[in-house]
Amino acid sequence: MELIVSERESNARYIAYIYTSLMPLAEACGAKSAISFDGERIALRLSAEEKYEPCLRRAAEEKLAEVVAIGYKYELFRRALHPAGLNKEEKEILLAALIAADFLDDKRYVFTRLHGDRVYTLDGFCLFRLAALKKKWEQVIDCVPVFFSPEKLAEFLRYLAREEAGGKIFVRGEEIYDGKYRRLRRATLIEEGISDMNGIREIILSGADEVECAGMPTPGQEIFFKRYYAGKVNFI
């Protein structure tokens, strides 16, 4: 069996995320993997014995759903939302929080729309099969106030931590791990360019309500913990 996931080369980080996430399972199944470039597109190819198709396909589709529910949602929100009252870093925190608020529901919806194809054209799939989800995201955008104060942002983060109750995460510098000590890399789906933000994004996207921090946090994380996670961080 062979599975192919393709995307615009400008979104190569999406393919890199899927590739990195699937490698442990692919290696366990003896699958062969390759990334190729064709014009302005990038593709990941996975080939394995047919008996491994169900588990590989499910894992691939779960990662595809995460790409859409985080990467594509971020790009839409980044272009549409410019609330006054927040600085650049606070705006990025708000965007990550808005993504995290509906992440599990969005991921489930995208997963149900994947139909067991052998070739997944990610950008085409988002354009033609997810109109209802895009409409939902646009409704969320319409509900965000034109002015969003830092105090309201802190209140939203506290609400999110209560609602999601994602358990405990572990922070070691820019590396974030879940309760089973698995490295979290969802923030790599978000456009880079702001110093010290990916670790903070990862914490928000985890939906965790408790943080254990090994060693000294980065300067940005220290400010973030004081403002938004006071009383929920243990230093070990």
Side-chain angles (χ1 to χ4, degrees):
M1 54 80 65
E2 184 178 58
L3 298 177
I4 301 173
V5 181
S6 74
E7 174 59 283
R8 299 189 304 273
E9 187 177 354
S10 58
N11 288 335
R13 64 187 179 278
Y14 298 159
I15 298 298
Y17 175 78
I18 296 169
Y19 174 82
T20 302
S21 300
L22 293 181
M23 277 310 94
L25 177 60
E27 290 175 357
C29 295
K32 296 180 180 179
S33 61
I35 292 178
S36 60
F37 296 87
D38 182 11
E40 296 182 352
R41 299 196 66 79
I42 180 173
L44 168 64
R45 286 175 167 79
L46 286 173
S47 58
E49 295 180 39
E50 288 290 340
K51 64 181 180 180
Y52 296 119
E53 179 176 2
C55 64
L56 278 173
R57 180 181 300 282
R58 180 176 181 84
E61 291 182 348
E62 284 184 352
K63 296 307 169 184
L64 282 163
E66 290 181 1
V67 167
V68 175
I70 296 176
Y72 269 83
K73 186 177 183 179
Y74 172 82
E75 286 301 317
L76 178 64
F77 279 37
R78 179 184 64 84
R79 292 191 299 267
L81 290 175
H82 305 282
L86 301 178
N87 62 32
K88 192 173 184 180
E89 287 76 16
E90 289 166 342
K91 179 189 173 184
E92 290 299 320
I93 290 171
L94 174 61
L95 295 180
L98 289 170
I99 293 169
D102 291 324
F103 169 66
L104 293 178
D105 287 341
D106 290 348
K107 179 181 174 180
R108 278 192 290 265
Y109 178 81
V110 176
F111 186 80
T112 64
R113 302 295 293 173
L114 293 162
H115 298 303
D117 297 330
R118 290 299 177 102
V119 179
Y120 300 92
T121 305
L122 189 51
D123 49 341
F125 169 76
C126 292
L127 181 63
F128 295 109
R129 294 192 188 177
L130 298 178
L133 183 60
K134 185 177 179 181
K135 183 177 180 180
K136 172 193 168 185
W137 292 347
E138 290 171 345
Q139 290 171 341
V140 172
I141 290 169
D142 290 339
C143 291
V144 176
V146 294
F147 180 86
F148 209 106
S149 69
E151 292 75 21
K152 284 290 184 183
L153 178 60
E155 183 180 328
F156 184 37
L157 266 290
R158 289 193 293 268
Y159 166 80
L160 184 64
R162 289 196 303 269
E163 289 295 304
E164 292 299 307
K168 182 187 295 186
I169 58 170
F170 301 88
V171 176
R172 188 176 63 190
E174 291 294 326
E175 298 178 359
I176 317 296
Y177 299 85
D178 67 11
K180 296 182 179 179
Y181 295 96
R182 294 174 298 195
R183 178 83 180 271
L184 298 174
R185 301 178 185 274
R186 292 170 182 162
T188 60
L189 294 170
I190 294 177
E191 185 178 48
E192 297 181 8
I194 298 180
S195 176
D196 201 30
M197 283 305 299
N198 269 5
I200 291 171
R201 288 168 173 152
E202 200 72 73
I203 294 167
I204 298 169
L205 292 173
S206 74
D209 58 352
E210 185 178 356
V211 177
E212 286 202 356
C213 186
M216 292 295 295
T218 67
Q221 288 172 358
E222 185 175 6
I223 295 171
F224 176 79
F225 289 147
K226 287 179 179 178
R227 287 182 178 176
Y228 308 110
Y229 274 73
K232 296 182 179 181
V233 182
N234 299 313
F235 294 92
I236 56 177

